[in-house]
Amino acid sequence: MNRRSGLSARLKFTLSYAGLVLFTGAVLLAVVWLYLLRYVPDNSQGLLGVSPNRFLLSRIFGRAAAVAMAFLLVFGLAGGWILAGRMLAPLAQITSAARRAGHGSLSHRIRMEGRRDEFRELADAFDTMLEQLESHVGEQQRFAANASHELRTPLAISQTLLDLARKEPTRNQDELFARLRAVNTRAIDLTEALLLLSRSDRGTFVRESVDLSLAAEEAAETLLGLAEQRGIALDVTGAAARTSGSAELLLRMVTNLVQNALVHNLPVGGAVTVHTEGQQDVSVLRVENTGLPVPPDLVPTLTEPFQRGTERVRTDEHAGVGLGLAIVHSVVRAHHGTLELVARPAGGLVVTVRLPGTP
């Protein structure tokens, strides 16, 4: 990797360590000179005519000090180089992993061993980031593949119907137009759902105060006809639950949950309960419905894009595009909330949304 000319971090650490050692040695020698030699008599006879004088001791001490400083310089450079190498070794591991990630390899993990110091925490944080990034990239790739497949299906059907109309001009045109309209409507619904999902994932929306209880009442009023058509009792209860976010996205979230609860319900005698409440700093929305038992291994996959609960009861006219709960999950995540899906023992689901509350 190309780097601008200059001293490396290891060489800087080495020079700093050697400079510190030399400075410490110089201070010690200065202390000896100032507080020891200053009390030695400065005359030709020395102390009582027996001890050496200051001139003689200065010459001896000066040579020893020069040797000591040279030793400290060599020791500081060698020791600093070794210590800097050992200290920077974890950074080399992290750098190698970052380069591999930059080339597209997101499966590599550092998994640094040893005591939990600053380098270990940095390596663990980097591993966590790689894990989340790999999961996000894989999810986006699956989403792109599924979206392409889902969009190609109505286009292929439209192409087939047009070819059939060209080959058989006498065919019933009303039936052909009705089928084309249905296919086109499905393609439009899918495109709008994809755009909404993309918008909620980006989190680019204006935040305002939203009451989830009012959104629940509006969603129930909109879907009341579907509930009456299927003979499902739709009940909205609870108190005000205010949060901050996009009124449009939160209304779509509630609408998708209620519609999903109505569609995936019992053929006869079903029920859907929508409950809202405020709990300290959290606003809660709970949607509970009856239905056939949901396999536990199916519940975690319901929020994935284009993952439909094939074992759940639904009608053909409301088969959907497989993005209802995916949009809900995306909206909840964009509003810094949590989404919990629990299968009821008697059948159906309990979906709980918790969003940050506002006064």
Side-chain angles (χ1 to χ4, degrees):
M1 180 178 180
N2 296 329
R3 184 189 290 115
R4 296 179 59 182
S5 59
L7 300 179
S8 64
R10 186 174 186 181
L11 184 55
K12 290 180 181 179
F13 278 123
T14 301
L15 295 178
S16 300
Y17 181 80
L20 181 61
V21 171
L22 286 177
F23 176 77
T24 304
V27 171
L28 292 176
L29 293 177
V31 170
V32 173
W33 174 264
L34 294 175
Y35 291 93
L36 177 61
L37 295 182
R38 64 181 299 183
Y39 295 105
V40 177
D42 188 15
N43 54 50
S44 58
Q45 297 297 326
L47 182 61
L48 301 178
V50 178
S51 301
N53 57 24
R54 185 182 301 178
F55 174 76
L56 181 60
L57 289 179
S58 299
R59 294 185 62 186
I60 298 174
F61 180 76
R63 294 176 181 176
V67 173
M69 293 298 291
F71 173 78
L72 289 178
L73 177 61
V74 175
F75 176 79
L77 291 174
W81 183 262
I82 295 174
L83 289 178
R86 296 189 60 180
M87 291 295 297
L88 295 177
L91 287 181
Q93 291 182 262
I94 299 175
T95 302
S96 176
R99 288 176 178 173
R100 295 182 63 175
H103 289 91
S105 177
L106 300 178
S107 59
H108 177 69
R109 300 292 182 271
I110 301 174
R111 294 188 177 90
M112 185 176 296
E113 300 179 353
R115 300 179 59 183
R116 183 171 293 278
D117 54 8
E118 289 81 357
F119 289 113
R120 173 74 180 277
E121 292 180 356
L122 176 61
D124 292 344
F126 191 82
D127 285 344
T128 302
M129 182 193 69
L130 285 180
E131 183 177 355
Q132 294 178 352
L133 185 60
E134 182 183 18
S135 175
H136 182 70
V137 170
E139 180 181 349
Q140 292 299 319
Q141 290 176 346
R142 292 192 299 271
F143 175 80
N146 292 332
S148 300
H149 175 74
E150 293 289 338
L151 286 172
R152 183 178 60 183
T153 300
L155 294 177
I157 295 176
S158 299
Q159 182 66 37
T160 302
L161 292 175
L162 292 175
D163 292 341
L164 182 62
R166 184 178 60 181
K167 293 179 181 179
E168 300 180 10
T170 59
R171 191 179 181 88
N172 189 346
Q173 299 295 322
D174 294 336
E175 178 184 358
L176 176 63
F177 290 151
R179 296 182 62 182
L180 280 174
R181 180 179 178 82
V183 173
N184 187 61
T185 301
R186 177 177 173 80
I188 293 176
D189 293 341
L190 177 59
T191 303
E192 291 180 348
L194 290 173
L195 291 175
L196 181 63
L197 184 61
S198 175
R199 178 186 172 191
S200 59
D201 282 337
R202 292 195 307 268
T204 55
F205 49 80
V206 178
R207 292 183 177 272
E208 57 184 309
S209 180
V210 180
D211 190 349
L212 295 180
S213 63
L214 297 180
E217 293 178 359
E218 184 175 350
E221 183 178 355
T222 302
L223 297 171
L224 184 59
L226 176 62
E228 294 177 347
Q229 177 185 352
R230 294 177 58 86
I232 298 176
L234 178 57
D235 189 19
V236 179
T237 63
R242 289 195 168 275
T243 186
S244 176
S246 168
E248 178 186 357
L249 292 178
L250 291 174
L251 177 59
R252 177 59 67 91
M253 176 195 72
V254 179
T255 303
N256 283 6
L257 287 176
V258 177
Q259 182 176 0
N260 188 77
L262 292 173
V263 172
H264 301 284
N265 213 307
L266 294 175
V268 180
V272 174
T273 301
V274 183
H275 181 77
T276 59
E277 61 179 308
Q279 299 177 353
Q280 295 181 352
D281 295 333
V282 178
S283 296
V284 180
L285 168 71
R286 184 178 297 107
V287 179
E288 182 176 358
N289 71 319
T290 57
L292 296 180
V294 181
D297 57 340
L298 180 64
V299 174
T301 66
L302 294 179
T303 58
E304 297 180 7
F306 304 106
Q307 296 295 324
R308 302 181 180 88
T310 55
E311 300 182 30
R312 305 174 66 193
V313 176
R314 68 184 184 201
T315 57
D316 294 337
E317 64 270 19
H318 292 98
V321 295
L323 289 174
L325 289 180
I327 292 176
V328 171
H329 185 223
S330 179
V331 172
V332 171
R333 183 171 53 192
H335 287 78
H336 309 291
T338 60
L339 176 65
E340 180 184 11
L341 279 72
V342 179
R344 298 175 68 248
L349 282 176
V350 178
V351 182
T352 305
V353 176
R354 293 180 175 86
L355 299 176
T358 59

